[in-house]
């Protein structure tokens, strides 16, 4: 298992535990314990902290995006695993450095987490929500892009005989 995929799995498990227990425990303690237990010797521990800090810092925005992208699913009714996979995926899709984590990698990683940890339809659900957000991003970029100038036709005059 690649290091970053393992880190995402540990972060997902930590967010799941934290969310399941209604955020009573200190998230830092949960992550430190899980990194020590499941990620001993990982070579990018700073990636784990960047990811979790980013998810937590943007959680209100991310949760609002989930509500808008999946209006038929109240946030509290989304299974805990799926909700936290979406949080990780949306953080990477919207707020992470795309030179480090391309958008399609963020989506694929989230789908893999959902397939590995979620229910039978989790992968499809995550793909649908992240795909919707990705399309909205693409449309917004298109709308902001300056229109290409239309070249004037070049008229070549025939030589006089």
């Amino acid at each position: 298992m690649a290091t970053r995929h393992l880190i995402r799995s540990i972060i997902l498990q930590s967010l799941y535990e934290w969310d399941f227990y209604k955020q009573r425990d200190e998230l830092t303690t949960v992550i430190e314990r899980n990194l020590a237990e499941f990620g001993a010797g990982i070579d990018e521990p700073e990636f784990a902290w960047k990811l979790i800090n980013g998810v937590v810092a943007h959680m209100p925005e991310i949760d609002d995006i989930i509500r808008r992208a999946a209006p038929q699913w109240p946030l509290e009714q989304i299974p805990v695993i799926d909700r936290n996979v979406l949080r990780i995926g949306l953080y990477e899709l919207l707020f992470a450095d795309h030179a480090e984590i391309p958008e399609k990698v963020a989506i694929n990683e989230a789908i893999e987490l959902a397939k590995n940890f979620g229910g039978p339809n989790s992968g499809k659900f995550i793909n649908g929500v992240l795909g919707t957000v990705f399309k909205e991003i693409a449309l917004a970029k298109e709308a902001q892009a300056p229109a290409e100038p239309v070249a004037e036709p070049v008229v070549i005059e025939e030589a006089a005989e």
Side-chain angles (χ1 to χ4, degrees), residues 147-155:
E148 290 192 30
V150 177
E152 293 292 324
V154 177
V155 178

Side-chain angles (χ1 to χ4, degrees), residues 27-159:
L27 182 57
T28 303
T29 305
V30 173
I31 291 169
E32 287 173 347
R33 183 187 69 238
N34 288 340
L35 282 172
E37 186 173 342
F38 303 114
I42 58 172
D43 57 356
E44 285 187 277
E46 67 281 351
F47 178 72
W49 292 108
K50 185 189 303 185
L51 182 58
I52 195 62
N53 289 330
V55 169
V56 170
H58 293 282
M59 195 173 294
E61 295 163 88
I62 291 169
D63 287 353
D64 285 343
I65 292 166
I66 295 170
R67 286 183 188 100
R68 286 194 314 266
Q72 68 280 18
W73 286 95
L75 189 65
E76 300 73 29
Q77 291 182 5
I78 296 174
V80 179
I81 283 289
D82 294 355
R83 181 170 54 233
N84 286 295
V85 168
L86 284 172
R87 287 173 173 159
I88 292 169
L90 285 168
Y91 167 73
E92 290 190 316
L93 181 62
L94 298 171
F95 303 105
D97 177 5
H98 293 147
E100 183 180 8
I101 305 165
E103 290 129 321
K104 291 187 179 181
V105 170
I107 293 170
N108 288 335
E109 284 291 325
I111 292 168
E112 285 304 309
L113 287 173
K115 287 179 180 178
N116 291 334
F117 293 98
N121 295 318
S122 293
K124 291 177 185 174
F125 176 67
I126 299 301
N127 187 34
V129 173
L130 295 180
T132 297
V133 173
F134 182 72
K135 287 176 189 169
E136 287 178 9
I137 293 168
L139 288 173
K141 285 180 182 176
E142 266 183 35
Q144 291 176 351
E148 290 192 30
V150 177
E152 293 292 324
V154 177
V155 178
I156 302 176
E157 293 182 27
E158 291 184 30

